[in-house]
């Protein structure tokens, strides 16, 4: 079993897609081990995306991620990191495969509905950024 970290981003929460995306997560076979709705400050968003600090889109991204409520999730499944990236699809919704969440619910390369860790080390950092051990159930 593996755990990964996921976010339902402000664009999707704002558009009332939280329940739909959670249903897709469960239908795909993930077990939800942690879940919380939060509103990030700009500084908290900057800390979460620190690896992207030098990117031209960093300011816009952290404004967006602190613009409204998000849902943070700890997801468990065999090969969870890759499996969740596959269900989300490519970063740019226009390039994401048919049937993926970003293709269906994303509206731009920035406002792309969901986040997912890309490797075991980033999953560990991102899970730890939002969840204490006692908050992960099961
Ligand atoms: P990922 O979310 O598919 O792992 P990353 O390259 O890690 O993609 O980028 C993190 C987030 O930054 C993306 O999900 C998206 O919201 C935003 N982003 C990535 N590239 C761009 C861009 O070229 N313009 C604006 N926002 C971007
Ligand atoms: Mg990434």
């Amino acid at each position: 079993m593996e755990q990964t970290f996921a976010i339902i981003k402000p664009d999707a929460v704002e558009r009332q897609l939280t329940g739909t995306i959670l249903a897709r997560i469960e239908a795909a076979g993930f077990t939800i081990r942690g879940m919380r709705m939060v509103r990030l400050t700009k500084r908290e968003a900057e800390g979460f995306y620190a690896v992207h600090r030098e990117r031209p889109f960093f300011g816009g991204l952290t404004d967006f991620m602190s613009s409204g409520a998000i849902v943070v999730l700890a997801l468990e499944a065999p090969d969870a990191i890759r499996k969740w990236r596959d269900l989300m699809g490519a970063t740019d919704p226009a390039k994401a495969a048919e049937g993926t969440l970003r293709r269906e619910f994303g509206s731009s390369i920035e406002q792309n509905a969901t986040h997912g860790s890309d490797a075991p080390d980033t999953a560990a950092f991102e899970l730890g950024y939002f969840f204490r051990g006692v908050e992960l159930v099961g």
Side-chain angles (χ1 to χ4, degrees):
M1 274 297 169
E2 186 176 66
Q3 286 192 0
T4 192
F5 176 73
I7 301 179
I8 303 174
K9 291 186 175 183
D11 57 322
V13 173
E14 168 71 22
R15 292 171 57 210
Q16 311 271 59
L17 292 168
T18 299
T20 300
I21 292 173
L22 289 174
R24 293 279 288 271
I25 286 169
E26 290 193 314
F30 292 96
T31 300
I32 298 171
R33 294 295 187 197
M35 176 165 65
R36 199 162 72 250
M37 179 173 271
V38 292
R39 168 85 185 255
L40 295 182
T41 65
K42 172 85 169 166
R43 285 184 72 86
E44 288 165 345
E46 288 170 349
F48 179 72
Y49 280 115
V51 292
H52 292 316
R53 206 178 313 112
E54 308 303 330
R55 302 287 193 87
F57 58 79
F58 183 70
L61 173 62
T62 52
D63 280 345
F64 164 56
M65 290 300 290
S66 57
S67 69
I70 63 174
V71 175
V72 295
L73 295 155
L75 303 181
E76 187 174 281
D79 204 14
I81 295 170
R82 191 190 56 76
K83 186 177 158 79
W84 173 237
R85 298 278 309 181
D86 287 351
L87 181 58
M88 288 198 302
T91 306
D92 183 351
K95 295 179 181 151
E98 201 66 56
T100 62
L101 297 175
R102 283 167 160 177
R103 173 66 169 261
E104 196 168 341
F105 303 123
S107 29
S108 71
I109 192 168
E110 177 182 79
Q111 305 207 3
N112 57 4
T114 54
H115 166 86
S117 310
D118 61 6
D121 60 330
T122 51
F125 168 78
E126 292 173 0
L127 285 164
Y129 199 81
F130 285 100
F131 294 107
R132 299 192 304 140
V134 292
E135 294 174 314
L136 297 173
V137 181

